[in-house]
Amino acid sequence: MDDKNEHKPGAAEASATVTRAAHAGVAVAVAGPGRRFSAKRKLDAVQRLMRGESLEALSRELNVPAHRLSEWRDRVLLAAESALKERERDERDDEIARLKAKVGEITMANELLYAKIDKLEVGRPLAGRRPRR
């Protein structure tokens, strides 16, 4: 077989997909081996999967491995689940944030006081025997 006539896998199929899509009025961008998909294009692909399009057909059309499309779908579902778990903020959340800040301030003040005590007690004979709380 001649090297010039050798079939490159995927090249003919990708050009045929683009040609069919162009005739149908559909914009299709086929990713090459080094191209990256934007978040919007990934989401569009996942939405198509969720609407029931075949994973294999979509994989061939977009020139993306099926496992990658499955990963994108799984990540979208996890994000949707966590978005639905969130509850609305209320006055309790504000009070909790205020109290956490107050505890932080008190902790910092205590640490500074302990450091000052240690500094003042340097050189005293009983300084090491004082218990810390």
Side-chain angles (χ1 to χ4, degrees), residues 31-95:
R35 286 198 51 193
R36 301 180 91 195
F37 276 77
S38 67
K40 181 174 180 3
R41 288 183 60 209
K42 289 178 185 178
L43 184 58
D44 289 341
V46 169
Q47 287 174 338
R48 289 174 63 183
L49 280 175
M50 301 287 272
R51 288 187 196 116
E53 287 192 39
S54 166
L55 178 67
E56 291 79 18
L58 191 58
S59 173
R60 281 191 301 272
E61 179 183 329
L62 299 177
N63 196 22
V64 175
H67 72 89
R68 180 92 52 213
L69 289 171
S70 296
E71 287 173 7
W72 294 348
R73 180 187 57 212
D74 294 343
R75 289 170 53 191
V76 165
L77 291 174
L78 282 173
E81 182 181 339
S82 66
L84 294 174
K85 283 183 180 178
E86 292 180 8
R87 62 180 179 86
E88 293 183 24
R89 290 185 55 87
D90 58 5
E91 64 274 352
R92 291 182 314 172
D93 294 322
D94 295 334
E95 181 68 9

Side-chain angles (χ1 to χ4, degrees), residues 75-124:
R75 289 170 53 191
V76 165
L77 291 174
L78 282 173
E81 182 181 339
S82 66
L84 294 174
K85 283 183 180 178
E86 292 180 8
R87 62 180 179 86
E88 293 183 24
R89 290 185 55 87
D90 58 5
E91 64 274 352
R92 291 182 314 172
D93 294 322
D94 295 334
E95 181 68 9
I96 289 170
R98 187 186 68 77
L99 292 173
K100 283 183 178 180
K102 189 67 171 173
V103 167
E105 290 172 15
I106 292 169
T107 302
M108 181 62 84
N110 283 344
E111 288 177 6
L112 291 173
L113 286 174
Y114 280 127
K116 190 172 188 176
I117 290 169
D118 288 342
K119 187 177 178 182
L120 290 173
E121 290 184 346
V122 172
R124 293 191 177 169

